[in-house]
Short mmCIF file of all heavy atoms in Angstrom, two decimals:
data_model
loop_
_atom_site.label_atom_id
_atom_site.label_comp_id
_atom_site.label_asym_id
_atom_site.label_seq_id
_atom_site.Cartn_x
_atom_site.Cartn_y
_atom_site.Cartn_z
N MET A 1 -23.02 8.11 1.96
CA MET A 1 -23.12 6.64 2.11
C MET A 1 -22.82 5.99 0.84
O MET A 1 -23.16 6.31 -0.20
CB MET A 1 -24.55 6.31 2.49
CG MET A 1 -24.80 4.83 2.72
SD MET A 1 -26.46 4.45 3.38
CE MET A 1 -26.41 5.20 4.99
N GLU A 2 -21.84 5.05 0.98
CA GLU A 2 -21.45 4.25 -0.16
C GLU A 2 -21.58 2.74 0.15
O GLU A 2 -21.10 2.25 1.22
CB GLU A 2 -19.93 4.55 -0.57
CG GLU A 2 -19.51 3.71 -1.68
CD GLU A 2 -17.98 4.11 -2.08
OE1 GLU A 2 -17.66 5.22 -1.67
OE2 GLU A 2 -17.31 3.25 -2.60
N ALA A 3 -22.08 1.91 -0.76
CA ALA A 3 -22.28 0.50 -0.50
C ALA A 3 -22.07 -0.20 -1.87
O ALA A 3 -22.08 0.31 -2.93
CB ALA A 3 -23.71 0.19 0.03
N HIS A 4 -21.94 -1.52 -1.73
CA HIS A 4 -21.71 -2.41 -2.82
C HIS A 4 -22.45 -3.69 -2.65
O HIS A 4 -22.92 -4.03 -1.53
CB HIS A 4 -20.16 -2.81 -2.93
CG HIS A 4 -19.31 -1.63 -3.04
ND1 HIS A 4 -19.11 -0.89 -4.25
CD2 HIS A 4 -18.49 -0.98 -2.08
CE1 HIS A 4 -18.30 0.13 -3.96
NE2 HIS A 4 -17.87 0.06 -2.69
N THR A 5 -22.78 -4.36 -3.74
CA THR A 5 -23.53 -5.63 -3.70
C THR A 5 -22.86 -6.56 -2.65
O THR A 5 -21.72 -6.75 -2.73
CB THR A 5 -23.58 -6.28 -5.04
OG1 THR A 5 -24.18 -5.30 -5.98
CG2 THR A 5 -24.39 -7.54 -5.03
N GLY A 6 -23.66 -7.14 -1.82
CA GLY A 6 -23.19 -8.10 -0.76
C GLY A 6 -23.09 -7.41 0.63
O GLY A 6 -22.94 -8.12 1.62
N ASP A 7 -22.99 -6.04 0.56
CA ASP A 7 -22.94 -5.43 1.90
C ASP A 7 -24.22 -5.55 2.66
O ASP A 7 -25.24 -5.88 2.01
CB ASP A 7 -22.65 -3.89 1.76
CG ASP A 7 -21.13 -3.63 1.24
OD1 ASP A 7 -20.38 -4.56 1.32
OD2 ASP A 7 -20.93 -2.47 0.83
N ARG A 8 -24.26 -5.25 3.88
CA ARG A 8 -25.46 -5.26 4.74
C ARG A 8 -25.82 -3.88 5.12
O ARG A 8 -25.04 -3.03 5.48
CB ARG A 8 -25.26 -6.06 6.04
CG ARG A 8 -24.88 -7.50 5.84
CD ARG A 8 -26.12 -8.35 5.75
NE ARG A 8 -25.75 -9.68 5.63
CZ ARG A 8 -26.60 -10.58 5.26
NH1 ARG A 8 -27.84 -10.21 5.05
NH2 ARG A 8 -26.29 -11.83 5.05
N LEU A 9 -27.20 -3.57 5.02
CA LEU A 9 -27.71 -2.27 5.41
C LEU A 9 -28.42 -2.51 6.76
O LEU A 9 -29.40 -3.33 6.79
CB LEU A 9 -28.63 -1.78 4.36
CG LEU A 9 -29.24 -0.32 4.60
CD1 LEU A 9 -28.13 0.65 4.54
CD2 LEU A 9 -30.41 -0.11 3.68
N VAL A 10 -27.98 -1.78 7.75
CA VAL A 10 -28.59 -1.85 9.11
C VAL A 10 -29.38 -0.66 9.34
O VAL A 10 -28.87 0.45 9.40
CB VAL A 10 -27.52 -2.11 10.18
CG1 VAL A 10 -28.17 -2.20 11.58
CG2 VAL A 10 -26.66 -3.30 9.88
N THR A 11 -30.72 -0.79 9.59
CA THR A 11 -31.52 0.28 9.93
C THR A 11 -31.84 0.18 11.46
O THR A 11 -32.52 -0.83 11.85
CB THR A 11 -32.89 0.41 9.16
OG1 THR A 11 -32.46 0.37 7.72
CG2 THR A 11 -33.67 1.50 9.45
N HIS A 12 -31.41 1.09 12.25
CA HIS A 12 -31.64 1.02 13.74
C HIS A 12 -33.10 1.25 14.07
O HIS A 12 -33.77 2.03 13.40
CB HIS A 12 -30.71 2.06 14.37
CG HIS A 12 -29.32 1.79 14.17
ND1 HIS A 12 -28.59 0.72 14.65
CD2 HIS A 12 -28.36 2.56 13.51
CE1 HIS A 12 -27.35 0.80 14.26
NE2 HIS A 12 -27.15 1.84 13.59
N GLY A 13 -33.50 0.53 15.19
CA GLY A 13 -34.84 0.75 15.67
C GLY A 13 -35.02 2.28 16.10
O GLY A 13 -34.19 2.84 16.63
N ARG A 14 -36.26 2.78 15.86
CA ARG A 14 -36.46 4.17 16.14
C ARG A 14 -37.13 4.40 17.48
O ARG A 14 -37.17 5.52 17.99
CB ARG A 14 -37.38 4.72 15.08
CG ARG A 14 -36.69 4.61 13.72
CD ARG A 14 -37.60 5.04 12.60
NE ARG A 14 -37.69 6.48 12.47
CZ ARG A 14 -38.49 7.09 11.71
NH1 ARG A 14 -39.38 6.48 10.98
NH2 ARG A 14 -38.40 8.41 11.50
N THR A 15 -37.55 3.38 18.15
CA THR A 15 -38.20 3.45 19.47
C THR A 15 -37.60 2.42 20.41
O THR A 15 -36.97 1.44 19.90
CB THR A 15 -39.69 3.31 19.42
OG1 THR A 15 -39.98 2.03 18.87
CG2 THR A 15 -40.37 4.39 18.60
N VAL A 16 -37.72 2.65 21.73
CA VAL A 16 -37.24 1.63 22.71
C VAL A 16 -37.89 0.28 22.47
O VAL A 16 -39.09 0.21 22.29
CB VAL A 16 -37.46 2.16 24.10
CG1 VAL A 16 -37.09 1.09 25.12
CG2 VAL A 16 -36.72 3.37 24.34
N GLY A 17 -37.06 -0.77 22.36
CA GLY A 17 -37.60 -2.05 22.19
C GLY A 17 -37.76 -2.52 20.74
O GLY A 17 -37.96 -3.68 20.49
N GLN A 18 -37.64 -1.61 19.81
CA GLN A 18 -37.64 -2.01 18.46
C GLN A 18 -36.34 -2.43 17.91
O GLN A 18 -35.35 -1.70 18.11
CB GLN A 18 -38.16 -0.76 17.55
CG GLN A 18 -38.37 -1.11 16.08
CD GLN A 18 -38.88 0.12 15.29
OE1 GLN A 18 -38.68 1.22 15.73
NE2 GLN A 18 -39.50 -0.21 14.19
N GLN A 19 -36.20 -3.59 17.36
CA GLN A 19 -34.96 -4.10 16.92
C GLN A 19 -34.49 -3.57 15.60
O GLN A 19 -35.34 -3.02 14.85
CB GLN A 19 -35.12 -5.66 16.88
CG GLN A 19 -35.28 -6.33 18.16
CD GLN A 19 -35.30 -7.83 18.00
OE1 GLN A 19 -35.21 -8.41 16.91
NE2 GLN A 19 -35.39 -8.56 19.10
N ASP A 20 -33.19 -3.67 15.42
CA ASP A 20 -32.61 -3.22 14.10
C ASP A 20 -33.06 -4.13 13.01
O ASP A 20 -33.29 -5.34 13.25
CB ASP A 20 -31.06 -3.24 14.20
CG ASP A 20 -30.47 -2.26 15.10
OD1 ASP A 20 -31.18 -1.38 15.68
OD2 ASP A 20 -29.24 -2.35 15.38
N ARG A 21 -33.18 -3.59 11.85
CA ARG A 21 -33.53 -4.38 10.70
C ARG A 21 -32.30 -4.47 9.86
O ARG A 21 -31.63 -3.52 9.51
CB ARG A 21 -34.66 -3.74 9.83
CG ARG A 21 -35.98 -3.79 10.58
CD ARG A 21 -37.15 -3.31 9.74
NE ARG A 21 -37.30 -4.31 8.74
CZ ARG A 21 -38.05 -4.08 7.64
NH1 ARG A 21 -38.65 -2.82 7.43
NH2 ARG A 21 -38.29 -5.00 6.62
N VAL A 22 -31.96 -5.70 9.39
CA VAL A 22 -30.74 -5.88 8.60
C VAL A 22 -31.21 -6.50 7.24
O VAL A 22 -31.98 -7.42 7.18
CB VAL A 22 -29.80 -6.88 9.24
CG1 VAL A 22 -28.56 -7.12 8.41
CG2 VAL A 22 -29.44 -6.42 10.69
N ALA A 23 -30.61 -5.90 6.15
CA ALA A 23 -30.98 -6.42 4.90
C ALA A 23 -29.65 -6.47 4.07
O ALA A 23 -28.67 -5.72 4.20
CB ALA A 23 -31.89 -5.48 4.19
N GLU A 24 -29.65 -7.44 3.09
CA GLU A 24 -28.46 -7.53 2.24
C GLU A 24 -28.72 -6.71 1.01
O GLU A 24 -29.84 -6.70 0.47
CB GLU A 24 -28.34 -9.02 1.74
CG GLU A 24 -27.17 -9.18 0.81
CD GLU A 24 -27.03 -10.65 0.19
OE1 GLU A 24 -27.89 -11.45 0.62
OE2 GLU A 24 -26.17 -10.82 -0.60
N ILE A 25 -27.66 -5.98 0.60
CA ILE A 25 -27.79 -5.16 -0.64
C ILE A 25 -27.55 -6.04 -1.81
O ILE A 25 -26.51 -6.62 -2.03
CB ILE A 25 -26.81 -3.98 -0.62
CG1 ILE A 25 -27.14 -3.08 0.54
CG2 ILE A 25 -26.81 -3.23 -1.95
CD1 ILE A 25 -26.15 -1.91 0.84
N VAL A 26 -28.62 -6.19 -2.69
CA VAL A 26 -28.52 -7.00 -3.85
C VAL A 26 -28.20 -6.23 -5.11
O VAL A 26 -27.88 -6.84 -6.17
CB VAL A 26 -29.78 -7.96 -4.04
CG1 VAL A 26 -29.85 -8.96 -2.79
CG2 VAL A 26 -31.02 -7.07 -4.10
N GLU A 27 -28.54 -4.98 -5.16
CA GLU A 27 -28.23 -4.10 -6.30
C GLU A 27 -28.09 -2.67 -5.86
O GLU A 27 -28.83 -2.18 -5.06
CB GLU A 27 -29.46 -4.19 -7.28
CG GLU A 27 -29.24 -3.47 -8.63
CD GLU A 27 -30.44 -3.65 -9.52
OE1 GLU A 27 -31.44 -4.24 -9.17
OE2 GLU A 27 -30.25 -3.14 -10.69
N VAL A 28 -27.10 -1.94 -6.38
CA VAL A 28 -26.88 -0.53 -6.20
C VAL A 28 -27.33 0.19 -7.39
O VAL A 28 -26.83 -0.02 -8.45
CB VAL A 28 -25.33 -0.32 -5.87
CG1 VAL A 28 -25.10 1.18 -5.71
CG2 VAL A 28 -24.86 -1.15 -4.69
N LEU A 29 -28.26 1.09 -7.22
CA LEU A 29 -28.88 1.82 -8.37
C LEU A 29 -28.31 3.15 -8.59
O LEU A 29 -28.51 3.86 -9.56
CB LEU A 29 -30.37 1.86 -8.22
CG LEU A 29 -31.01 0.43 -8.16
CD1 LEU A 29 -32.46 0.54 -7.72
CD2 LEU A 29 -30.93 -0.32 -9.53
N GLY A 30 -27.54 3.72 -7.60
CA GLY A 30 -27.01 5.02 -7.72
C GLY A 30 -25.65 4.94 -8.29
O GLY A 30 -24.97 3.97 -8.36
N ASP A 31 -25.12 6.08 -8.61
CA ASP A 31 -23.73 6.23 -9.18
C ASP A 31 -22.69 6.14 -8.07
O ASP A 31 -22.88 6.77 -7.04
CB ASP A 31 -23.51 7.56 -9.92
CG ASP A 31 -24.35 7.61 -11.18
OD1 ASP A 31 -24.62 6.54 -11.80
OD2 ASP A 31 -24.75 8.78 -11.58
N GLY A 32 -21.66 5.39 -8.33
CA GLY A 32 -20.51 5.29 -7.33
C GLY A 32 -20.89 4.68 -5.99
O GLY A 32 -20.33 5.04 -4.92
N GLY A 33 -21.85 3.83 -5.95
CA GLY A 33 -22.27 3.13 -4.72
C GLY A 33 -23.21 3.89 -3.82
O GLY A 33 -23.48 3.56 -2.73
N THR A 34 -23.82 5.00 -4.39
CA THR A 34 -24.74 5.80 -3.58
C THR A 34 -26.19 5.19 -3.79
O THR A 34 -26.48 4.49 -4.66
CB THR A 34 -24.74 7.23 -4.13
OG1 THR A 34 -25.12 7.29 -5.55
CG2 THR A 34 -23.39 7.84 -4.00
N PRO A 35 -27.09 5.63 -2.84
CA PRO A 35 -28.49 5.13 -2.93
C PRO A 35 -29.21 5.61 -4.22
O PRO A 35 -28.72 6.59 -4.78
CB PRO A 35 -29.20 5.78 -1.68
CG PRO A 35 -28.02 6.06 -0.85
CD PRO A 35 -26.86 6.36 -1.67
N PRO A 36 -30.30 4.95 -4.52
CA PRO A 36 -31.02 3.95 -3.78
C PRO A 36 -30.46 2.51 -4.00
O PRO A 36 -29.63 2.28 -5.01
CB PRO A 36 -32.44 4.00 -4.49
CG PRO A 36 -32.09 4.44 -5.87
CD PRO A 36 -30.95 5.38 -5.77
N TYR A 37 -30.86 1.62 -3.12
CA TYR A 37 -30.37 0.26 -3.12
C TYR A 37 -31.61 -0.69 -3.19
O TYR A 37 -32.68 -0.41 -2.56
CB TYR A 37 -29.63 -0.09 -1.86
CG TYR A 37 -28.48 0.90 -1.44
CD1 TYR A 37 -28.48 1.57 -0.34
CD2 TYR A 37 -27.48 1.03 -2.41
CE1 TYR A 37 -27.37 2.43 0.01
CE2 TYR A 37 -26.40 1.98 -2.16
CZ TYR A 37 -26.33 2.54 -0.88
OH TYR A 37 -25.33 3.42 -0.62
N ARG A 38 -31.43 -1.81 -3.89
CA ARG A 38 -32.41 -2.89 -3.80
C ARG A 38 -31.87 -3.82 -2.78
O ARG A 38 -30.74 -4.23 -2.87
CB ARG A 38 -32.55 -3.59 -5.12
CG ARG A 38 -33.63 -4.65 -5.09
CD ARG A 38 -33.88 -5.29 -6.44
NE ARG A 38 -34.15 -4.34 -7.47
CZ ARG A 38 -35.27 -3.63 -7.64
NH1 ARG A 38 -36.24 -3.82 -6.83
NH2 ARG A 38 -35.42 -2.81 -8.66
N VAL A 39 -32.69 -4.03 -1.70
CA VAL A 39 -32.21 -4.84 -0.63
C VAL A 39 -33.16 -6.09 -0.40
O VAL A 39 -34.27 -6.10 -0.80
CB VAL A 39 -32.17 -4.06 0.70
CG1 VAL A 39 -31.19 -2.86 0.59
CG2 VAL A 39 -33.56 -3.51 1.10
N ARG A 40 -32.55 -7.13 0.16
CA ARG A 40 -33.32 -8.30 0.44
C ARG A 40 -33.25 -8.59 1.96
O ARG A 40 -32.18 -8.70 2.60
CB ARG A 40 -32.90 -9.52 -0.28
CG ARG A 40 -33.69 -10.77 -0.01
CD ARG A 40 -33.11 -12.02 -0.76
NE ARG A 40 -33.11 -11.73 -2.17
CZ ARG A 40 -32.01 -11.84 -2.97
NH1 ARG A 40 -30.87 -12.31 -2.43
NH2 ARG A 40 -32.07 -11.68 -4.20
N PHE A 41 -34.43 -8.63 2.68
CA PHE A 41 -34.52 -9.02 4.13
C PHE A 41 -34.38 -10.50 4.31
O PHE A 41 -34.57 -11.33 3.33
CB PHE A 41 -35.76 -8.36 4.73
CG PHE A 41 -35.69 -6.86 4.74
CD1 PHE A 41 -36.31 -6.15 3.65
CD2 PHE A 41 -35.06 -6.16 5.71
CE1 PHE A 41 -36.22 -4.77 3.68
CE2 PHE A 41 -35.06 -4.85 5.75
CZ PHE A 41 -35.59 -4.14 4.74
N ASP A 42 -34.18 -10.92 5.53
CA ASP A 42 -34.11 -12.37 5.82
C ASP A 42 -35.32 -13.20 5.46
O ASP A 42 -35.16 -14.34 5.22
CB ASP A 42 -33.80 -12.57 7.34
CG ASP A 42 -32.41 -12.10 7.75
OD1 ASP A 42 -31.50 -11.98 6.81
OD2 ASP A 42 -32.26 -11.74 8.91
N ASP A 43 -36.48 -12.51 5.50
CA ASP A 43 -37.70 -13.29 5.13
C ASP A 43 -37.93 -13.44 3.59
O ASP A 43 -38.84 -13.93 3.10
CB ASP A 43 -38.93 -12.66 5.77
CG ASP A 43 -39.23 -11.24 5.24
OD1 ASP A 43 -38.45 -10.69 4.40
OD2 ASP A 43 -40.22 -10.63 5.79
N GLY A 44 -36.92 -12.87 2.82
CA GLY A 44 -37.01 -12.99 1.34
C GLY A 44 -37.60 -11.74 0.71
O GLY A 44 -37.58 -11.61 -0.58
N HIS A 45 -38.26 -10.87 1.46
CA HIS A 45 -38.81 -9.61 0.88
C HIS A 45 -37.76 -8.73 0.37
O HIS A 45 -36.78 -8.45 1.02
CB HIS A 45 -39.56 -8.95 2.03
CG HIS A 45 -40.11 -7.64 1.66
ND1 HIS A 45 -41.34 -7.44 1.01
CD2 HIS A 45 -39.68 -6.39 1.87
CE1 HIS A 45 -41.59 -6.20 0.87
NE2 HIS A 45 -40.55 -5.52 1.30
N GLU A 46 -38.03 -8.25 -0.85
CA GLU A 46 -37.11 -7.29 -1.51
C GLU A 46 -37.78 -5.91 -1.54
O GLU A 46 -38.95 -5.83 -1.70
CB GLU A 46 -36.70 -7.69 -2.90
CG GLU A 46 -35.78 -8.86 -2.95
CD GLU A 46 -35.18 -9.20 -4.29
OE1 GLU A 46 -35.28 -8.40 -5.20
OE2 GLU A 46 -34.50 -10.23 -4.45
N HIS A 47 -36.92 -4.90 -1.42
CA HIS A 47 -37.40 -3.54 -1.30
C HIS A 47 -36.45 -2.52 -1.94
O HIS A 47 -35.22 -2.77 -1.86
CB HIS A 47 -37.68 -3.25 0.12
CG HIS A 47 -38.35 -1.96 0.40
ND1 HIS A 47 -39.71 -1.80 0.18
CD2 HIS A 47 -37.97 -0.78 0.96
CE1 HIS A 47 -40.01 -0.52 0.55
NE2 HIS A 47 -39.01 0.06 0.98
N LEU A 48 -36.94 -1.53 -2.58
CA LEU A 48 -36.13 -0.46 -3.08
C LEU A 48 -36.03 0.58 -2.04
O LEU A 48 -37.02 1.01 -1.48
CB LEU A 48 -36.68 0.17 -4.35
CG LEU A 48 -35.88 1.25 -5.02
CD1 LEU A 48 -34.57 0.66 -5.52
CD2 LEU A 48 -36.69 1.80 -6.28
N LEU A 49 -34.82 0.94 -1.54
CA LEU A 49 -34.63 1.71 -0.36
C LEU A 49 -33.61 2.81 -0.52
O LEU A 49 -32.54 2.62 -1.08
CB LEU A 49 -34.18 0.79 0.79
CG LEU A 49 -34.08 1.30 2.23
CD1 LEU A 49 -35.52 1.70 2.70
CD2 LEU A 49 -33.53 0.26 3.09
N ALA A 50 -33.95 4.01 -0.08
CA ALA A 50 -33.03 5.19 0.05
C ALA A 50 -32.91 5.37 1.49
O ALA A 50 -33.78 6.05 2.13
CB ALA A 50 -33.57 6.41 -0.67
N PRO A 51 -31.85 4.91 2.18
CA PRO A 51 -31.67 4.91 3.55
C PRO A 51 -31.52 6.31 4.22
O PRO A 51 -30.99 7.22 3.51
CB PRO A 51 -30.44 4.06 3.81
CG PRO A 51 -29.71 3.95 2.59
CD PRO A 51 -30.75 4.16 1.53
N GLY A 52 -32.06 6.48 5.40
CA GLY A 52 -32.01 7.71 6.05
C GLY A 52 -30.86 7.70 7.08
O GLY A 52 -29.99 6.87 7.13
N PRO A 53 -30.84 8.73 7.96
CA PRO A 53 -29.72 8.86 8.95
C PRO A 53 -29.71 7.80 10.00
O PRO A 53 -28.75 7.67 10.65
CB PRO A 53 -30.01 10.29 9.49
CG PRO A 53 -31.43 10.53 9.28
CD PRO A 53 -31.81 9.81 8.02
N ASP A 54 -30.74 7.00 10.10
CA ASP A 54 -30.77 5.90 11.08
C ASP A 54 -30.21 4.55 10.47
O ASP A 54 -30.41 3.58 11.16
CB ASP A 54 -32.23 5.74 11.64
CG ASP A 54 -33.21 5.40 10.57
OD1 ASP A 54 -32.90 5.67 9.34
OD2 ASP A 54 -34.32 5.00 10.86
N SER A 55 -29.61 4.69 9.32
CA SER A 55 -29.06 3.52 8.76
C SER A 55 -27.60 3.61 8.48
O SER A 55 -27.04 4.64 8.33
CB SER A 55 -29.75 3.37 7.27
OG SER A 55 -31.11 3.21 7.40
N VAL A 56 -26.90 2.42 8.56
CA VAL A 56 -25.44 2.29 8.31
C VAL A 56 -25.21 1.14 7.41
O VAL A 56 -25.98 0.20 7.33
CB VAL A 56 -24.70 2.20 9.62
CG1 VAL A 56 -24.75 3.47 10.47
CG2 VAL A 56 -25.06 0.97 10.41
N VAL A 57 -24.14 1.19 6.74
CA VAL A 57 -23.69 0.05 5.79
C VAL A 57 -22.54 -0.68 6.53
O VAL A 57 -21.60 -0.10 7.03
CB VAL A 57 -23.16 0.67 4.50
CG1 VAL A 57 -22.57 -0.50 3.65
CG2 VAL A 57 -24.25 1.32 3.71
N ARG A 58 -22.76 -2.03 6.62
CA ARG A 58 -21.68 -2.85 7.08
C ARG A 58 -21.12 -3.48 5.87
O ARG A 58 -21.84 -4.35 5.18
CB ARG A 58 -22.22 -3.93 8.05
CG ARG A 58 -22.72 -3.39 9.39
CD ARG A 58 -22.89 -4.36 10.41
NE ARG A 58 -23.33 -3.78 11.61
CZ ARG A 58 -24.12 -4.32 12.49
NH1 ARG A 58 -24.57 -5.58 12.25
NH2 ARG A 58 -24.58 -3.76 13.61
N HIS A 59 -19.93 -3.18 5.49
CA HIS A 59 -19.26 -3.73 4.30
C HIS A 59 -18.94 -5.16 4.52
O HIS A 59 -18.46 -5.61 5.56
CB HIS A 59 -18.00 -2.94 3.96
CG HIS A 59 -18.34 -1.51 3.70
ND1 HIS A 59 -18.94 -1.05 2.60
CD2 HIS A 59 -18.12 -0.37 4.42
CE1 HIS A 59 -19.15 0.22 2.55
NE2 HIS A 59 -18.66 0.72 3.74
N SER A 60 -19.18 -6.02 3.39
CA SER A 60 -18.79 -7.34 3.43
C SER A 60 -17.28 -7.56 3.46
O SER A 60 -16.54 -6.75 2.97
CB SER A 60 -19.43 -8.15 2.30
OG SER A 60 -18.96 -7.57 1.06
N ALA A 61 -16.84 -8.67 4.04
CA ALA A 61 -15.40 -8.94 4.12
C ALA A 61 -15.00 -9.26 2.69
O ALA A 61 -15.60 -10.15 2.05
CB ALA A 61 -15.12 -10.05 5.08
N GLY A 62 -13.89 -8.67 2.30
CA GLY A 62 -13.29 -8.99 1.02
C GLY A 62 -11.85 -9.27 1.11
O GLY A 62 -11.36 -9.27 2.23
N PRO A 63 -11.17 -9.57 0.04
CA PRO A 63 -9.81 -9.88 0.08
C PRO A 63 -8.90 -8.80 0.58
O PRO A 63 -7.77 -9.03 0.99
CB PRO A 63 -9.45 -10.27 -1.41
CG PRO A 63 -10.51 -9.68 -2.16
CD PRO A 63 -11.79 -9.59 -1.37
N ALA A 64 -9.36 -7.56 0.53
CA ALA A 64 -8.50 -6.41 0.99
C ALA A 64 -8.82 -6.05 2.41
O ALA A 64 -8.23 -5.10 2.86
CB ALA A 64 -8.76 -5.25 0.08
N SER A 65 -9.66 -6.80 3.07
CA SER A 65 -9.94 -6.50 4.43
C SER A 65 -8.74 -6.91 5.39
O SER A 65 -7.97 -7.75 5.04
CB SER A 65 -11.23 -7.01 4.91
OG SER A 65 -11.18 -8.47 4.88
N GLY A 66 -8.82 -6.40 6.64
CA GLY A 66 -7.89 -6.84 7.64
C GLY A 66 -6.96 -5.69 7.93
O GLY A 66 -7.00 -4.60 7.28
N PRO A 67 -6.00 -5.84 8.90
CA PRO A 67 -5.12 -4.76 9.30
C PRO A 67 -4.12 -4.43 8.15
O PRO A 67 -3.75 -5.25 7.37
CB PRO A 67 -4.29 -5.46 10.43
CG PRO A 67 -4.76 -6.78 10.58
CD PRO A 67 -5.86 -7.11 9.66
N ARG A 68 -3.93 -3.20 8.06
CA ARG A 68 -3.04 -2.65 6.99
C ARG A 68 -1.92 -1.87 7.71
O ARG A 68 -1.84 -0.64 7.59
CB ARG A 68 -3.79 -1.78 6.08
CG ARG A 68 -4.82 -2.48 5.30
CD ARG A 68 -5.56 -1.57 4.31
NE ARG A 68 -6.76 -2.35 3.79
CZ ARG A 68 -7.65 -1.77 3.05
NH1 ARG A 68 -7.52 -0.45 2.80
NH2 ARG A 68 -8.69 -2.47 2.65
N ASP A 69 -1.05 -2.62 8.36
CA ASP A 69 0.01 -1.87 9.11
C ASP A 69 1.32 -1.90 8.35
O ASP A 69 2.33 -1.46 8.88
CB ASP A 69 0.13 -2.58 10.47
CG ASP A 69 0.53 -4.04 10.33
OD1 ASP A 69 0.82 -4.55 9.22
OD2 ASP A 69 0.66 -4.74 11.41
N GLY A 70 1.34 -2.31 7.13
CA GLY A 70 2.58 -2.20 6.30
C GLY A 70 3.63 -3.14 6.75
O GLY A 70 4.82 -2.93 6.44
N GLY A 71 3.28 -4.19 7.57
CA GLY A 71 4.28 -5.17 7.95
C GLY A 71 5.00 -4.78 9.24
O GLY A 71 6.10 -5.37 9.47
N ALA A 72 4.59 -3.78 9.89
CA ALA A 72 5.25 -3.41 11.05
C ALA A 72 5.18 -4.43 12.15
O ALA A 72 4.19 -5.13 12.21
CB ALA A 72 4.69 -2.04 11.60
N PRO A 73 6.17 -4.62 12.99
CA PRO A 73 6.19 -5.69 13.99
C PRO A 73 5.18 -5.46 15.13
O PRO A 73 4.75 -4.33 15.47
CB PRO A 73 7.58 -5.69 14.65
CG PRO A 73 8.21 -4.39 14.12
CD PRO A 73 7.47 -3.86 12.98
#
């Protein structure tokens, strides 16, 4: 798993009816974008987190995002 400041960490609900938790990554403490991460939830709570297999990183949109088709028609 690799993340950068500004990315979103999504932790999927573990039981039926439990919603996903989404947090913004405010600091990457591991080398090369690896965990642990300091994250901030929508309610302002900050937490140090080493995500498990039920989590995914949604990378923030940057200037290099978008289709990379090399200009093909």
Side-chain angles (χ1 to χ4, degrees):
M1 180 175 292
E2 181 179 334
H4 304 282
T5 301
D7 290 347
R8 299 271 181 195
L9 183 68
V10 179
T11 303
H12 299 294
R14 299 171 84 188
T15 60
V16 173
Q18 185 180 22
Q19 295 186 352
D20 293 351
R21 294 188 67 196
V22 181
E24 178 185 1
I25 297 174
V26 295
E27 185 178 7
V28 178
L29 300 168
D31 294 330
T34 60
Y37 306 123
R38 183 173 311 283
V39 299
R40 181 181 303 125
F41 293 94
D42 291 337
D43 64 359
H45 174 82
E46 288 192 9
H47 188 71
L48 185 63
L49 188 63
D54 57 346
S55 300
V56 294
V57 173
R58 289 190 184 153
H59 299 286
S60 60
S65 65
R68 297 181 190 171
D69 59 4

